Amino acid sequence: MSEQEISARKEGRKLKLPRAVGKGRQVDPKALAEIQSLLGSESRQKDLLIEHLHKIQDAYQHISAAHLVALAREMKLSKAEVYEVATFYHHFDVVKEGDTPPQALTVRVCESLTCEMMGAKDLINSLENALGDDVRVQPVPCVGRCDKAPVAVVGMNPIEHANSAMVEEAVNNKAIEPEAIYPINFEAYLAQNGYNTYRLCRDGTYKVEKVLAAMDDSGLRGLGGAGFPAGRKWRIVRDMPEPKLMAVNIDEGEPGTLKDKYYLDRDPHCFLEGMLIAAWATGINEIYIYLRDEYAAIRQSLTEEIAKLIANPPVEDMPTIYLRRGAGAYICGEESAMIESIEGKRGMPRLRPPFVAEVGLFGRPTLEHNMESLYWVRDILEKGPGCLTDHGRNGRVGLRSFSVSGRVNKPGVHLAPAGISMQELIDEYCGGMQEGHEFYGYFPGGASGGILPASLGDVPLDFDTLQEYGCFIGSAAIVVFSDHDKARDLAVNAMKFFEEESCGQCTPCRVGTAKAVTLMEDPQWNEDLLQELSDVMIDASICGLGQAAPNPMRSVIKYFPEELK
C-alpha cells in the first residue's frame, strides 16, 4: 500500500486514483495520423481551429467523430470545445459515431429572397429528382450572387442563372472547383502606380493628421451597414494603447448583398492598399482578413495576390497579414461575432461595452472595417475628398454601391449618388422593370432592412433617411419585387433566414424568430401577437440580428395590409 493510500485511509477519505485513460472517446491512431498529415508543420495554436476543421472537411467532405477527437488531441483542446465549434458552422458536416456520412458531392441551392423569386424551389425539387441518391441537394442561405439568381453551387463551383440541366452537366463533368477570376493582379496594379500612396504615407510625405482630416472631410462611413464615420473610428483606435490589431470584415451574408464580391473580383489591391494605409494611420502591425467561405474563387485569388505583396513589399516593416476563412455563419458579419470566429470560437456576439475598439481581437484594441470602406481610402487621398463629396442627390452627399437584384432588367452593383430614390435607381441604372412586371415594393437594406411599397419609391436612399419609415439602408442591398410577388411571402422567407442564422445565444432571438415563422405561416396573421413578439425581440436581443429580424414582418403589417386579409 502506498503512502498516499495509507494517509487517505487514516483520514477516512477515498483516494482518487488517476485514470488510466481519458474520459469519452479515445484517440484512434489512424485518425490521428491523418490529422497530423493534413496539418503538416502548421501551427496548432487555438485560433487556427476553424482553419484546421476546413482542412478535414475539404479532404473528406465531412468531419468524423474520430477526426474531431484526433484534432482535439493534436491541438491540445478539449473534445467538447472542438465539437461545439465544428457543429456551430453550417459548412462543417459533422458525422456522429455510427451515423452515415453525407454523399461525397453536395449541390447547394440558394433559397434566399431573390433566388426564391426566380424559381429556387422548383430548381431544388427538380434536382432532387434528377440527381439521385449519390448527390446531396441542400437548400442554403444567400451565396452572394443575387444578381445571377437562381444560383446553385456544385462542390465549390457556382452555377449562375441555374437550371436543372446546367447543374446536372456540372455534376456529370465533375466541375466542382471554383472558376478562376482574373482581377487586376499585383503586377498590373504596380504598373498603374499602385501602392505609391501607401509609400508616401510611410515616408512622411503624407502626415497622419492630414490623412485623418481627409477621411473626415470625405464623409466616408462604415459601408458594412453600421455607417460609423471612418475618420472618427481611426482617431479612436489611434489613441488606444499598443499593441493594436485590425479585423477586416468580408463576410457579407445579408441576402441581396454582393458589393464586396464585385470589388474584389476586379481590383483587390485597391482594397489592400487602403487597408495598409489605415493600419499605418492607426499604429497597427497585424491585420486579419475574414472572408466568407462562399467566395472560394476570391479566396484563391486573394491568397495568391497577398503572397505576391508579402514577397515584394512596397515598404519595409509592412504589417503582417492573415487571411481567415469563414464557415457559413451569417452572424459572423456582426463585428464581435467575427472576432470570436477569428479566435477559433463559435461566432457568438459579445455584450458591449467594452467595444471592439477598446477590447477586440485577442483582447486588444481593434480597428474593425468593412472591405468596401477601405476600398475608397486610396481614392480619397489621391483625388481628394471631393471624389465622394462632389456627388449626391435629394440633399444627400456621397456615393453608394447599391447591390440591386430582383425584378429589374440590369441587376448588379451600381455606383450611384447617395440620396437617389428607388424609382430613379430603377429607371436610370437598372434598365427599368422586367417586361410584364410592375414595380410593387422593395427591400432597401437586405433582408433585415424592412420592406417599402412602390408608393414610397421616391424616398432618398441613404443613411438616416429611412428610419422614419421603419427601415434602414444597411449595406445598400436592394431587392426589388413586382406585382407577381407577395410581400408577406418574402417576409416569411426573411424570417426563416433569421431563424436559421440565429446563433442561439439569447432567448428573444432564438425563440422569437422560430415563433414568428410559425405565426407568419398562418393564413391569418395574429397582428397583435406579432407586434408584441417583435417588441420583445427588438428590446431584448443582444445583437442586430434579433433586433432587426422583425423589420420585414412589421413592414408588411404597416404597408401591405391588403395581403393579410
Side-chain angles (χ1 to χ4, degrees):
M1 184 179 293
S2 69
E3 292 183 8
Q4 292 93 338
E5 289 174 297
I6 293 171
S7 175
R9 178 171 292 183
K10 287 181 179 179
E11 296 173 9
R13 59 183 173 85
K14 186 177 180 180
L15 180 65
K16 190 173 183 179
L17 298 175
R19 293 176 61 91
V21 293
K23 292 183 178 180
R25 183 188 176 101
Q26 301 307 300
V27 177
D28 178 82
K30 180 176 180 290
L32 182 60
E34 290 170 342
I35 292 299
Q36 291 171 337
S37 176
L38 276 177
L39 270 55
S41 60
E42 291 194 39
S43 170
R44 271 62 167 171
Q45 64 198 56
K46 180 179 179 180
D47 59 283
L48 290 175
L49 174 56
I50 294 172
E51 296 294 309
H52 294 337
L53 286 169
H54 274 301
K55 293 181 177 65
I56 304 172
Q57 178 73 38
D58 291 346
Y60 298 97
Q61 287 75 55
H62 69 277
I63 302 176
S64 69
H67 281 144
L68 279 179
V69 173
L71 181 62
R73 164 70 69 85
E74 190 65 14
M75 296 188 70
K76 296 181 172 58
L77 299 172
S78 73
K79 286 170 277 191
E81 183 175 3
V82 174
Y83 179 81
E84 72 176 10
V85 171
T87 54
F88 179 85
Y89 294 94
H90 299 315
H91 288 188
F92 297 139
D93 292 310
V94 178
V95 179
K96 297 179 181 178
E97 188 174 5
D99 288 353
T100 303
Q103 295 90 327
L105 179 61
T106 295
V107 174
R108 296 178 171 87
V109 182
C110 175
E111 61 175 356
S112 288
L113 293 170
T114 307
C115 283
E116 181 176 286
M117 289 164 58
M118 300 301 177
K121 287 183 179 178
D122 291 340
L123 178 60
I124 292 169
N125 293 334
S126 175
L127 291 174
E128 287 176 340
N129 293 327
L131 295 179
D133 296 333
D134 294 334
V135 178
R136 176 175 59 165
V137 178
Q138 186 177 55
V140 297
C142 185
V143 296
R145 291 173 168 82
C146 314
D147 56 331
K148 306 292 195 308
V151 179
V153 182
V154 180
M156 292 186 179
N157 181 37
I159 310 297
E160 299 173 338
H161 298 302
N163 58 43
S164 185
M166 294 166 65
V167 176
E168 289 179 64
E169 181 180 0
V171 169
N172 294 332
N173 293 337
K174 311 299 181 184
I176 61 174
E177 294 300 320
E179 295 182 356
I181 59 172
Y182 302 98
I184 296 175
N185 62 21
F186 182 67
E187 297 78 12
Y189 191 72
L190 290 183
Q192 299 174 6
N193 212 25
Y195 292 104
N196 186 57
T197 302
Y198 178 51
R199 291 191 193 93
L200 294 175
C201 291
R202 290 293 301 270
D203 70 14
T205 301
Y206 285 177
K207 304 300 181 184
V208 172
E209 191 54 45
K210 176 182 178 181
V211 170
L212 293 175
M215 296 297 295
D216 290 335
D217 293 343
S218 71
L220 181 68
R221 297 173 66 168
L223 297 173
F228 193 85
R232 190 190 310 171
K233 181 182 286 190
W234 288 19
R235 292 179 187 276
I236 291 170
V237 175
R238 180 173 174 78
D239 291 339
M240 290 292 167
E242 296 184 351
K244 295 173 281 193
L245 301 174
M246 182 189 293
V248 182
N249 194 336
I250 319 180
D251 194 54
E252 55 175 3
E254 182 78 22
T257 308
L258 52 136
K259 63 183 181 61
D260 292 354
K261 177 183 180 299
Y262 175 86
Y263 288 114
L264 287 173
D265 277 348
R266 288 156 178 78
D267 194 357
H269 287 281
C270 184
F271 144 64
L272 291 172
E273 184 169 7
M275 178 186 77
L276 291 172
I277 292 169
W280 160 79
T282 52
I284 288 170
N285 292 316
E286 289 186 58
I287 302 170
Y288 288 78
I289 301 172
Y290 189 86
L291 178 68
R292 74 179 308 204
D293 196 34
E294 288 83 352
Y295 293 166
I298 290 176
R299 183 174 67 252
Q300 180 177 313
S301 172
L302 204 53
T303 300
E304 294 172 359
E305 296 305 312
I306 290 173
K308 294 177 186 177
L309 174 62
I310 293 172
N312 301 277
V315 300
E316 295 181 358
D317 302 321
M318 199 174 70
T320 304
I321 302 172
Y322 303 96
L323 179 60
R324 292 294 173 85
R325 180 177 174 183
Y330 165 76
I331 192 62
C332 290
E334 196 275 339
E335 60 178 8
S336 65
M338 176 192 67
I339 285 172
E340 290 284 299
S341 189
I342 293 173
E343 292 180 355
K345 306 172 187 174
R346 295 175 295 168
M348 296 283 201
R350 298 176 179 176
L351 291 170
R352 289 170 287 187
F355 297 96
V356 299
E358 304 167 279
V359 182
L361 189 56
F362 305 119
R364 301 177 184 177
T366 300
L367 177 66
E368 189 276 342
H369 256 312
N370 169 258
M371 189 287 303
E372 195 204 346
S373 303
L374 296 168
Y375 185 88
W376 291 105
V377 170
R378 186 201 65 183
D379 280 358
I380 290 170
L381 297 184
E382 290 184 358
K383 302 175 183 178
C387 70
L388 297 183
T389 58
D390 289 347
H391 303 274
R393 191 175 295 186
N394 296 319
R396 308 300 297 179
V397 176
L399 288 170
R400 294 286 173 267
S401 300
F402 293 98
S403 303
V404 185
S405 62
R407 305 292 191 181
V408 295
N409 283 318
K410 294 180 180 178
V413 175
H414 298 289
L415 187 63
I420 193 171
S421 71
M422 188 67 251
Q423 190 64 62
E424 291 170 333
L425 193 61
I426 292 172
D427 294 340
E428 299 176 30
Y429 290 84
C430 301
M433 298 292 291
Q434 293 176 350
E435 185 175 354
H437 289 265
E438 182 179 337
F439 179 33
Y440 179 46
Y442 62 108
F443 289 74
S448 60
I451 312 175
L452 292 174
S455 60
L456 291 176
D458 59 349
V459 175
L461 297 173
D462 196 12
F463 296 115
D464 311 319
T465 62
L466 301 173
Q467 281 83 341
E468 64 179 292
Y469 303 101
C471 297
F472 58 79
I473 194 170
S475 60
I478 294 177
V479 180
V480 181
F481 57 95
S482 75
D483 53 341
H484 291 216
D485 309 299
K486 286 190 174 182
R488 65 172 290 164
D489 292 342
L490 296 173
V492 171
N493 180 293
M495 190 62 77
K496 286 181 177 179
F497 170 80
F498 294 125
E499 178 189 15
E500 174 71 14
E501 295 300 322
S502 172
C503 74
Q505 180 177 190
C506 66
T507 303
C509 178
R510 181 184 68 251
V511 177
T513 52
K515 181 64 174 176
V517 167
T518 301
L519 292 172
M520 292 168 70
E521 287 183 327
D522 283 346
Q524 184 67 42
W525 282 17
N526 186 331
E527 296 182 26
D528 291 338
L529 186 56
L530 282 169
Q531 290 281 17
E532 183 179 352
L533 178 62
S534 68
D535 289 342
V536 172
M537 293 173 66
I538 291 169
D539 292 340
S541 294
I542 289 174
C543 81
L545 190 154
Q547 295 163 7
N551 286 340
M553 174 259 292
R554 291 163 68 100
S555 295
V556 170
I557 294 172
K558 183 175 182 179
Y559 297 116
F560 302 90
E562 68 280 0
E563 293 191 12
L564 304 179
K565 296 177 181 178

